[in-house]
């Protein structure tokens, strides 16, 4: 997918990272829903929060194209994400 990185931001009112695709479609990622689905620890949640506020495009790419469980295991420890 092609992203318009200028139009990726965290919307504090909805708790979502909103991403505009270059073809005009919009994607809204429910950050609370992601954390609930991944069953994150406080440390892992802090890492996701850092991305949400400081690099929402990296957060969106991680959730849409990456492996968030693997990422969180590597940066914040694996507790809470056992298979």
């Amino acid at each position: 997918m092609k992203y318009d990185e200028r139009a990726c931001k965290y919307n504090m009112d909805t708790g979502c990272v909103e991403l505009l695709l270059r073809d005009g479609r919009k994607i809204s990622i429910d950050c609370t829903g992601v954390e609930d689905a991944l069953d994150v620890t406080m440390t892992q949640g802090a890492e996701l929060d850092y991305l949400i506020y400081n690099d929402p495009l990296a957060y969106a790419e991680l959730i849409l194209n990456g492996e968030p469980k693997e990422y969180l295991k590597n940066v914040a420890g694996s507790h809470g994400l056992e298979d």
Side-chain angles (χ1 to χ4, degrees):
M1 283 187 267
K2 302 278 184 173
Y3 306 115
D4 183 349
E5 58 193 54
R6 294 167 294 149
C8 183
K9 62 183 172 71
Y10 176 67
N11 183 332
M12 194 175 297
D13 294 331
T14 63
C16 297
V17 168
E18 298 172 345
L19 178 65
L20 179 65
L21 302 180
R22 288 194 180 156
D23 65 6
R25 293 180 293 157
K26 294 180 182 178
I27 296 175
S28 183
I29 302 169
D30 178 0
C31 300
T32 302
V34 167
E35 288 187 20
D36 289 347
L38 293 175
D39 191 27
V40 298
T41 64
M42 279 180 56
T43 304
Q44 293 163 339
E47 179 63 32
L48 289 176
D49 286 346
Y50 176 84
L51 288 176
I52 289 166
Y53 291 109
N54 296 292
D55 195 353
L57 182 60
Y59 177 86
E61 288 177 332
L62 175 68
I63 300 307
L64 297 174
N65 302 321
E67 296 185 18
K69 287 184 180 182
E70 206 51 44
Y71 171 80
L72 290 171
K73 284 180 186 178
N74 290 330
V75 297
S78 63
H79 181 70
L81 290 174
E82 287 81 25
D83 295 338

